[in-house]
Amino acid sequence: MVGLSVKQATATLQQLGLSADIREEIFSEETKPGLVLASDPGGGGKVSVNGTVHLTLSKGPERITVPDIAGASVDDAIKAIKEAGLIVGTSTRAFSESIAKDSVVNTSPEIGTPLRRSSAVNIVISDGQALGGKSYVGLFSDQALNEINDAGFTVNTIYAYSESVAVGMVISQTLPTTIKAGQKPVVTIVVSQGTAYAYVPDGLRGRTLKEATAAIEGLGLKVAKPKIIGTRKNKVVINVSPAEKTKVKPGSTVTLTLG
């Protein structure tokens, strides 16, 4: 009988003048749902004429879903895990922007994962918001660096150009989510280097080539070989290309016309 479907087992027993009765269904890791796991009496056993053979069917593998304990207190989470037929594994802590301190952030395996009975569920417990949720965006990087270090964090500083945030001010920050034993959590701040562009200086017209060149190169720009027009002996700048006050990329070339 073992391994047969109910229909197959019933048909086989009827050929022997016997009837089938489903006694119970139990979980089995090896046998598919609906198939016979055992019979009473077993194969080769004696049964009276027109008697009944009691069958035990498989319900297939037993799987228990990890309960939804996100946001629950640690005590309630442990209770829910145990009541589900699972066991509590390790617990770690992590920062969370949305889960209150000392409440459960998530689990591993994830909530909703089907597991065998008595499998371990690890829980992650909230340590609240890193830095208490304080934002340093728009503040000077020196202040951010000092306060973050004083709070027990390590600062990772990245520099980036910005057209809207002044030099030395914080453009953005990334707070840590994980906490590793023996290591300071890392806060990353992006600090403005100011604009990525330069401006062709104003007031170049009327200056000598030497004066204009010094002003242009002082901004990280280059000066092309000047164009010379006219017969004037002491020539000065009469035209600039690109025009004065034009926004250009660093290293761009400016052409002067002297006359």
Side-chain angles (χ1 to χ4, degrees):
M1 297 293 104
V2 175
L4 298 180
S5 66
V6 174
K7 183 177 180 180
Q8 291 170 328
T10 300
T12 299
L13 292 172
Q14 286 177 344
Q15 291 176 0
L16 300 174
L18 303 173
S19 60
D21 168 63
I22 299 174
R23 173 176 288 173
E24 62 177 339
E25 295 182 48
I26 62 176
F27 292 108
S28 171
E29 291 294 324
E30 294 80 23
T31 304
K32 293 181 179 180
L35 300 185
V36 177
L37 269 178
S39 63
D40 180 23
K46 294 182 179 181
V47 61
S48 60
V49 177
N50 297 323
T52 299
V53 176
H54 304 286
L55 304 177
T56 298
L57 302 183
S58 170
K59 293 200 292 184
E62 179 185 28
R63 292 295 180 265
I64 298 172
T65 300
V66 177
D68 185 355
I69 54 175
S73 68
V74 175
D75 288 343
D76 287 346
I78 291 173
K79 181 180 179 182
I81 291 171
K82 290 181 176 179
E83 288 181 348
L86 303 170
I87 62 175
V88 180
T90 61
S91 63
T92 55
R93 301 190 73 88
F95 295 110
S96 174
E97 297 296 308
S98 58
I99 303 297
K101 186 175 182 179
D102 296 327
S103 297
V104 175
V105 178
N106 53 40
T107 64
S108 176
E110 295 181 353
I111 292 168
T113 302
L115 301 175
R116 290 188 180 188
R117 180 173 292 277
S118 299
S119 294
V121 177
N122 305 314
I123 59 175
V124 180
I125 303 169
S126 173
D127 221 33
Q129 292 181 305
L131 298 176
K134 181 172 182 177
S135 173
Y136 288 92
V137 174
L139 301 180
F140 283 106
S141 58
D142 287 347
Q143 177 186 349
L145 182 64
N146 291 333
E147 292 187 8
I148 294 171
N149 280 330
D150 288 345
F153 295 79
T154 296
V155 181
N156 175 38
T157 304
I158 298 173
Y159 293 92
Y161 292 110
S162 173
E163 297 303 303
S164 59
V165 180
V167 175
M169 302 192 79
V170 178
I171 299 172
S172 64
Q173 69 180 34
T174 302
L175 300 178
T177 56
T178 58
I179 301 175
K180 296 182 179 180
Q183 296 183 20
K184 289 184 177 181
V186 178
V187 175
T188 298
I189 59 173
V190 180
V191 179
S192 174
Q193 289 179 289
T195 179
Y197 296 89
Y199 289 84
V200 177
D202 191 18
L204 295 178
R205 295 171 186 267
R207 292 192 181 188
T208 65
L209 175 61
K210 183 177 180 180
E211 292 171 337
T213 298
I216 293 169
E217 291 180 344
L219 296 175
L221 303 175
K222 299 176 182 178
V223 179
K225 183 178 180 179
K227 297 179 181 179
I228 309 296
I229 61 174
T231 59
R232 181 178 175 179
K233 183 177 180 180
N234 296 318
K235 291 181 171 56
V236 294
V237 176
I238 60 173
N239 189 54
V240 183
S241 179
E244 294 162 299
K245 299 183 181 180
T246 299
K247 184 168 73 172
V248 295
K249 292 183 178 180
S252 296
T253 298
V254 178
T255 301
L256 302 174
T257 300
L258 303 178

